[in-house]
Amino acid sequence: MPFLYIDAHEFVSIQYMTRKTIAVIFGTRPDTIKLAPVMHALQRESARFRVVKIATAQHRGMLDQVLDVFKIKPDYDLNIMQRKQALSALTAKTLQALGNVLDEVQPDMVLVQGDTTTTFVGSLAAFYKQIPIGHVEAGLRTNDKLHPFPEEMNRRLTSSLADLHFAPTETAKKALIHEGINRSSVFITGNTVIDALRLSVRKNFRFSLPDLNDVVKEWKKIVLVTMHRRENWGAPMLGACRTIRRLAEVHNDISFVFPVHLNPAVQEVVGATLKGLQNVHLVEPLNYLDFVNLMAKSYFIITDSGGIQEEAPALGKPVLVLRTVTERPEAVTFGTVRLVGLDEEKIIREGTRLLNNKAAYQKMATAVNPYGDGKAAQRTIAILKNYFGFTKSVVREFRPPTARS
Ligand code: UD1
Ligand code: UDP
C-alpha cells in the first residue's frame, strides 16, 4: 500500500476538518450538575470535539450557582426564566430560542440530560433541524405519566427522539430496549452525578455559608430536607411541611436544615409552615459544594428530589423519599432509600424510627453505589468517539454491585 506523505501542518488541518461540534444544552440546576463532568471531559478532547455550551437558563440563580462551582462559561445564554413560569410558555419560548441558536451553531450532535423541559425541548429543537441527539441519563421510568410530572413524559419523549442513549443503570437500559429502542444505541455508562460527587465531597470541608459551619459544630445530628416536585405543590407539600414541623418539635435536639428551592410555589408553603422553630434552619439553595458536603455530614435525608436519591446512597445516608413511585428503584432495592410518599403518619413513623432505633438506622445507612463509579463521563466520550468514527474501541459498560457492601 503506497504511503501518503503529508506535512505536520496539513495533518493538523485534516484533523481539524473532521473535528465534530457538540452542542450541549442545559438550563436547570440538576441537568447542569450532571452535564458538567461531560462538558469538562469533552473539552479535554479538543482535537476531536468543539464544545458549544448552550444555557437555556430555565433556572437563573440556581443555574448560576452551578456554573460558578464548575467554572462553566456558556457560549449562549438564552436567559429564559420568568417568575412562576408556566410549562407551555416555557416550552414555546425555549423551542424558538434554541431553534435560532442551532441554526447558527450547526452542530454535529446535540447532548441533553435527564428530564427537564430544557431536556425535552432541546431534543425537539435538534430533531426539527435533523441533528443527531445524545441523551445522558436515559431510560429512567416510573411508567406513570403523571409521576413525576412532567418529567416522566419529558424522558419518554426525549427517548423517542434520541439517537444515542446513555443509560445510567441496567434497569434503565432494559426499559429502553423494552420500549423498542435499538439496543445497539443504548450504553450503560453509570450516572455522571457520581463523577461530580466524587470530585466534590471532602473531609475537612469549610462551608462557604458560615452558618453551616456553626450548625455542623453545634448540633449533634442534622436531618437535611429538600422539596420541590410540581405534583406535590399545594396541599401535599403543605401536609409534608406540617409533618416535618411535628418531627422537629418532638426532636428538638436535632437540627433540620432545609435549603428552600427558589420556586415561589415552594417558598410560600415552606416559609408559612416551618418558620420560627429554633432547630429548623431554612436557608437559600446551597451551592453544590456546600450541599453535597452537608449531605455527607447529615444523619439522614428527607426529599422528593431525583438527584439526591442517587447521591445519598453513595454517601451511606438513608433517604426518606416524599413520593409514592420512583424512577430510581435501585437504591430502594438495596435498602438505603425508602418511599414514604406524602402520608403524614408514615413520615413521622419512619423519621422517628431512624432517629430512635440505631439498628434500623444502621440497616439503611450502608453505602451502596448502584448509580456509578465516577467514570460515566469518560464512557460517554468514548462512545461519542466511536459514533463519529474517531476510534473503534470496546467500551466496557458500568456494572453496579450485586449486593450491599
Ligand atoms: C425544574 C424542572 C424539574 C427539576 C427542577 C430541579 C421542569 C418542568 N421542571 O422544576 O424537573 O426537578 O427544576 O430543581 O423542567 N426559580 C427562580 N430561580 C431559579 C429557579 C427557579 O426564581 O434559579 C423560580 C421561578 O419563579 C421559576 C420557578 O421557580 O418560574 C419554576 O422554575 P421551573 O424551572 O419552571 O420549575 P422547577 O420547579 O424549578
Ligand atoms: N442541590 C444543590 N443545592 C441545594 C439542593 C440540591 O446543589 O440546595 C443539588 C443536589 O446535590 C443534586 C441536585 O441539586 O445534585 C438535585 O437537584 P434538584 O433536587 O433541584 O432536582 P432533581 O434532581 O429533583 O431534578
Side-chain angles (χ1 to χ4, degrees), residues 58-59 61-62 82 84-85 117 151 228-229 261 263:
Q58 175 182 332
H59 283 175
M62 284 158 52
Q82 282 183 351
K84 293 194 173 184
Q85 59 206 0
T117 293
E151 291 84 4
H228 73 81
R229 293 247 82 82
H261 193 288
N263 195 325

Side-chain angles (χ1 to χ4, degrees), residues 28-31 33-34 59 62 65-66 115-116 137 151 155 193 196-197 224-229 258-261 283-292 295 303-311 323 327-328:
T28 69
R29 173 168 68 189
D31 55 11
I33 290 170
K34 290 170 168 179
H59 283 175
M62 284 158 52
Q65 280 185 318
V66 181
D115 59 11
T116 66
E137 199 193 70
E151 291 84 4
R155 278 193 201 275
V193 80
L197 187 71
L224 184 57
V225 186
T226 83
M227 223 185 289
H228 73 81
R229 293 247 82 82
F258 193 155
V260 188
H261 193 288
V283 292
E284 294 280 296
L286 300 178
N287 81 42
Y288 177 72
L289 290 178
D290 276 358
F291 187 80
V292 293
M295 194 155 46
T303 190
D304 63 7
S305 161
I308 295 168
Q309 290 177 61
E310 295 155 345
E311 294 163 330
R323 292 163 62 173
E327 63 282 36
R328 295 164 169 94

Side-chain angles (χ1 to χ4, degrees), residues 75-245:
D75 299 291
Y76 293 85
D77 189 324
L78 308 180
N79 204 23
I80 293 286
M81 196 196 88
Q82 282 183 351
R83 200 177 136 78
K84 293 194 173 184
Q85 59 206 0
L87 286 178
S88 47
L90 171 66
T91 301
K93 265 176 78 180
T94 309
L95 185 62
Q96 180 131 38
L98 279 176
N100 295 339
V101 174
L102 292 180
D103 278 342
E104 201 174 306
V105 176
Q106 302 268 325
D108 297 292
M109 174 168 275
V110 158
L111 280 187
V112 293
Q113 196 283 342
D115 59 11
T116 66
T117 293
T118 290
T119 316
F120 162 55
V121 177
S123 55
L124 185 60
F127 168 69
Y128 284 162
K129 310 284 172 194
Q130 300 192 22
I131 301 164
I133 299 152
H135 185 200
V136 176
E137 199 193 70
L140 276 63
R141 296 289 186 272
T142 60
N143 294 313
D144 174 345
K145 78 175 188 182
L146 296 179
H147 293 91
F149 174 85
E151 291 84 4
E152 171 76 2
M153 286 313 294
N154 283 344
R155 278 193 201 275
R156 286 202 237 168
L157 295 165
T158 303
S159 294
S160 333
L161 296 169
D163 301 274
L164 281 180
H165 310 262
F166 303 103
T169 65
E170 187 155 15
T171 315
K173 177 176 178 171
K174 281 185 179 154
L176 289 164
I177 292 168
H178 182 72
E179 286 170 17
I181 304 274
N182 186 336
R183 65 170 63 233
S184 68
S185 66
V186 186
F187 304 88
I188 307 176
T189 54
N191 199 310
T192 55
V193 80
I194 304 297
D195 300 23
L197 187 71
R198 288 200 170 184
L199 294 172
S200 308
V201 175
R202 294 167 212 153
K203 242 196 172 130
N204 298 314
F205 182 80
R206 293 282 307 163
F207 292 94
S208 67
L209 192 69
D211 286 358
L212 291 180
N213 293 310
D214 298 338
V215 169
V216 167
K217 217 163 41 193
E218 287 162 18
W219 294 84
K220 66 171 186 180
K221 281 180 189 146
I222 294 168
V223 176
L224 184 57
V225 186
T226 83
M227 223 185 289
H228 73 81
R229 293 247 82 82
R230 201 169 277 262
E231 67 272 18
N232 290 346
W233 288 359
M237 195 172 277
L238 190 66
C241 287
R242 285 197 185 126
T243 311
I244 288 161
R245 188 181 175 96

Side-chain angles (χ1 to χ4, degrees), residues 298-363:
S298 65
Y299 195 60
F300 73 88
I301 296 158
I302 302 177
T303 190
D304 63 7
S305 161
I308 295 168
Q309 290 177 61
E310 295 155 345
E311 294 163 330
L315 299 170
K317 302 298 170 183
V319 189
L320 300 181
V321 177
L322 301 166
R323 292 163 62 173
T324 48
V325 285
T326 181
E327 63 282 36
R328 295 164 169 94
E330 294 85 353
V332 178
T333 307
F334 277 110
T336 315
V337 169
R338 188 160 293 166
L339 300 179
V340 291
L342 276 299
D343 178 330
E344 299 186 17
E345 291 318 311
K346 203 164 177 184
I347 299 169
I348 293 280
R349 193 173 63 241
E350 295 297 335
T352 306
R353 197 149 69 116
L354 281 173
L355 289 169
N356 291 347
N357 182 337
K358 196 117 196 154
Y361 178 84
Q362 283 308 339
K363 224 172 152 195

